[in-house]
Amino acid sequence: MIKNLKYLLTLSFLVSLFSFNANAQVKKGDLVDGISAVVGNEIILESEVLEQQNYAQQQGAAQTNKCEFMDGILSNKLLIYKAKKDTLIQDRSAAIREQAADKYSQIVSQFPSEKAMLDAYKFRTSYEMKNAIEKMDIDNYYGQQKYALVTEKVNITPNEVTDFYNAYKYQLPQVKDEIVLSKIAMYPKLTEAHKDEIINKLKKIKQDILAGDSFDNKARIYSEDPGSAANGGLYTNINRGKMVKIFEATALNLQEGEISEPVESEFGFHIIQLVKKSGKQYDARHILLKAEPNAEEIATAKAEMEKIKEDIKSGKLTFKEAAFKYSDDKNTKFNAGVMPGEDGSDRLEKANLNATVAYQIAGLNKGDLTDVFVFEEPNQKKAVTIMKVNEVIPMHALDLATDFERIKGFALNKKKGEVLEKWVKEQLPDTFISINNRYKDCNFKEDWSKSAIIK
């Protein structure tokens, strides 16, 4: 069975947030949570095994044997345990803990209230959930760092890729319908009158705060920042260099408690209050009003994009030249507008396309341009967009002639997996591993009994 890096390493770390509190998922009559194994001083809970098993089932995994998941979790816990003792790996635990508060605030912002969020994720308190976030992120960091060190010298030759393909081609997944797209995305420009309207609203909010209203309450009511609005606009323990330049420069030029005049960033318009400054960190509140274009501004941008489209069709500009000259999408404008796929290639799986994009490209062939349309970018900004179809790749079995890089990735991950297995075997004699007796009948891939004390 071929396991890629993503499955091998991250399954036990990156289960959905619902798995933070696995006891909520255990059904009546099931084993109540308890310690299933210990690797060094790393504990594996029964709930962790059950949640990964449930998650794999939800994702359509063919194999969901609990023993297999325990086998994988033991390997990952061994990576984490050894990573924390490895002096070559930087200890970032403190920094990760500081980031947990920001991540928690972002999650809260997606719910009507903090209580609603805690109820949805089955946590009793915010402290409990923040601890869960911290632990997951710390384990993820150490596991990935150690894995990278263990496998850093692994490489693969073209002949090895060919040999791998010949041996496993009937087990490799089939490539689903894919497409290669380029885009030009233009953010509609706000008129000066519209900007003044937003700025004057922020000035009025600032006046109300200076007159005695709470910044915290005003932020909860008016701020359009999903990462901080529910927390009264507050960001804590901000490391210098983390925020956009205009935000940081404004905040650090204030006295503690002082509120800035409205400033414009790529996210919209803000008023900012410096709460506390200490060394290389600071706390700040802000109220963000997004620069949402109105119908007139969108229509102006559409007319400009229609002209660009005509210039491309007439040959006055290539799509690459137009993307570089006009696109506001920094991730694609310097790459001829080509949209990157999840695996780092330029191929996008059709089934995973945004519904708006899927509608626009329906029925188009190689070389065709879409209509001009409005699309909400991942940064939640509305963009007037056109796209070009560069390639249409029908569903097919992986083939060396057309999918060499993808096959190479599978082959490399398999080789890395073999190196990891060898490393695990080498660590067993020097590592305390205790596995609960309920797993005594498991036929583990690794011979954990070489160091395990079965209870």
Side-chain angles (χ1 to χ4, degrees):
M1 180 179 179
I2 299 162
K3 296 183 179 180
N4 61 31
L5 173 60
K6 184 176 181 181
Y7 176 83
L8 180 68
L9 183 61
T10 63
L11 182 58
S12 65
F13 301 141
L14 303 180
V15 181
S16 68
L17 284 172
F18 282 99
S19 68
F20 281 164
N21 195 12
N23 283 340
Q25 304 293 329
V26 178
K27 299 176 183 177
K28 186 176 180 180
D30 284 349
L31 176 69
V32 177
D33 202 8
I35 296 175
S36 288
V38 178
V39 179
N41 56 9
E42 297 291 327
I43 294 171
I44 299 172
L45 297 176
E46 180 67 13
S47 60
E48 191 174 349
V49 183
L50 293 174
E51 274 304 306
Q52 292 195 24
Q53 186 181 25
N54 291 339
Y55 181 72
Q57 289 173 338
Q58 293 165 12
Q59 299 302 306
Q63 298 294 330
T64 56
N65 183 286
K66 189 164 73 169
C67 294
E68 289 188 10
F69 287 99
M70 174 58 85
D71 213 4
I73 294 170
L74 285 164
S75 293
N76 287 329
K77 290 294 184 182
L78 182 59
L79 280 168
I80 295 164
Y81 171 64
K82 293 293 183 179
K84 290 178 180 178
K85 297 163 69 68
D86 193 332
T87 57
L88 293 176
I89 296 175
Q90 181 185 3
D91 183 356
R92 294 194 65 252
S93 299
I96 293 170
R97 289 189 182 97
E98 290 171 1
Q99 294 166 2
D102 289 346
K103 186 173 287 188
Y104 179 83
S105 296
Q106 291 172 3
I107 298 169
V108 171
S109 70
Q110 300 171 22
F111 289 83
S113 67
E114 186 175 42
K115 184 179 184 303
M117 184 270 298
L118 291 172
D119 289 344
Y121 288 119
K122 313 299 181 186
F123 283 100
R124 292 168 295 182
T125 66
S126 61
Y127 177 80
E128 187 180 80
M129 183 168 175
K130 286 176 183 177
N131 278 348
I133 295 172
E134 289 173 10
K135 184 180 186 308
M136 185 189 75
D137 287 353
I138 288 171
D139 282 359
N140 187 29
Y141 166 74
Y142 278 109
Q144 290 187 356
Q145 290 295 309
K146 190 63 180 178
Y147 182 90
L149 282 177
V150 171
T151 62
E152 66 180 345
K153 295 182 180 179
V154 180
N155 52 38
I156 197 162
T157 66
N159 285 340
E160 287 178 306
V161 176
T162 300
D163 291 343
F164 168 84
Y165 176 73
N166 290 332
Y168 294 99
K169 62 183 175 181
Y170 297 113
Q171 298 177 44
L172 292 171
Q174 192 171 51
V175 177
K176 297 180 180 179
D177 290 330
E178 294 179 322
I179 195 164
V180 180
L181 296 172
S182 294
K183 74 171 181 178
I184 300 170
M186 183 186 297
Y187 300 136
K189 295 177 178 62
L190 271 60
T191 62
E192 290 304 315
H194 191 179
K195 286 183 180 181
D196 288 342
E197 181 184 333
I198 298 171
I199 290 169
N200 289 334
K201 184 176 180 180
L202 281 172
K203 286 182 176 179
K204 176 63 169 60
I205 293 171
K206 178 182 176 179
Q207 288 175 358
D208 291 344
I209 295 169
L210 294 176
D213 284 354
S214 163
F215 196 114
D216 179 291
N217 289 338
K218 289 292 186 182
R220 291 176 190 274
I221 295 169
Y222 294 108
S223 184
E224 296 173 340
D225 174 18
S228 70
N231 199 33
L234 180 64
Y235 283 109
T236 60
N237 300 318
I238 306 169
N239 292 312
R240 296 194 184 208
K242 178 180 177 181
M243 308 298 274
V244 293
K245 289 182 179 179
I246 186 65
F247 184 102
E248 183 161 292
T250 302
L252 295 179
N253 280 322
L254 297 170
Q255 299 297 316
E256 291 186 4
E258 186 181 1
I259 302 172
S260 74
E261 290 298 309
V263 294
E264 184 178 6
S265 78
E266 61 192 80
F267 299 103
F269 294 85
H270 319 243
I271 53 171
I272 302 165
Q273 181 185 50
L274 179 66
V275 176
K276 181 178 69 175
K277 182 164 55 176
S278 177
K280 295 182 179 180
Q281 294 184 326
Y282 61 99
D283 297 350
R285 293 185 186 276
H286 81 135
I287 295 172
L288 168 71
L289 296 183
K290 293 181 180 179
E292 289 282 355
N294 58 33
E296 179 184 349
E297 291 157 346
I298 290 173
T300 299
K302 276 187 170 183
E304 186 176 351
M305 188 65 84
E306 290 285 2
K307 176 65 169 57
I308 294 168
K309 181 179 177 180
E310 286 304 313
D311 286 347
I312 294 170
K313 291 176 70 175
S314 67
K316 290 182 180 179
L317 280 174
T318 65
F319 198 95
K320 178 180 179 179
E321 291 168 340
F324 180 78
K325 187 174 181 179
Y326 296 109
S327 185
D328 291 322
D329 182 355
K330 296 176 183 178
N331 295 321
T332 62
K333 70 176 296 174
F334 302 109
N335 189 35
V338 177
M339 299 168 62
E342 290 184 4
D343 61 356
S345 72
D346 57 4
R347 295 183 178 187
L348 303 168
E349 194 171 307
K350 280 189 173 182
N352 294 335
L353 289 175
N354 172 279
T356 302
V357 175
Y359 174 79
Q360 290 295 329
I361 66 165
L364 298 186
N365 299 310
K366 180 177 179 179
D368 289 346
L369 299 176
T370 66
D371 293 332
V372 174
F373 64 99
V374 178
F375 179 66
E376 187 170 290
E377 296 284 301
N379 61 9
Q380 298 183 325
K381 294 179 73 171
K382 288 182 179 177
V384 172
T385 307
I386 56 169
M387 292 184 179
K388 178 184 177 183
V389 177
N390 299 316
E391 292 286 345
V392 178
I393 304 110
M395 181 185 296
H396 65 280
L398 284 168
D399 184 83
L400 281 171
T402 56
D403 305 288
F404 182 85
E405 288 301 320
R406 188 168 285 176
I407 297 167
K408 179 181 176 181
F410 283 112
L412 183 59
N413 287 334
K414 181 178 182 295
K415 193 171 181 180
K416 286 183 176 181
E418 292 166 353
V419 170
L420 178 62
E421 288 174 16
K422 180 181 177 182
W423 176 86
V424 168
K425 287 179 173 64
E426 292 170 351
Q427 308 308 308
L428 291 181
D430 302 321
T431 308
F432 170 78
I433 300 176
S434 175
I435 304 174
N436 192 281
N437 194 48
R438 71 176 71 102
Y439 289 92
K440 66 180 180 180
D441 295 326
C442 285
N443 183 22
F444 288 128
K445 186 176 183 180
E446 302 294 346
D447 188 5
W448 301 105
S449 65
K450 287 185 177 179
S451 62
I453 301 173
I454 305 296
K455 292 183 179 178

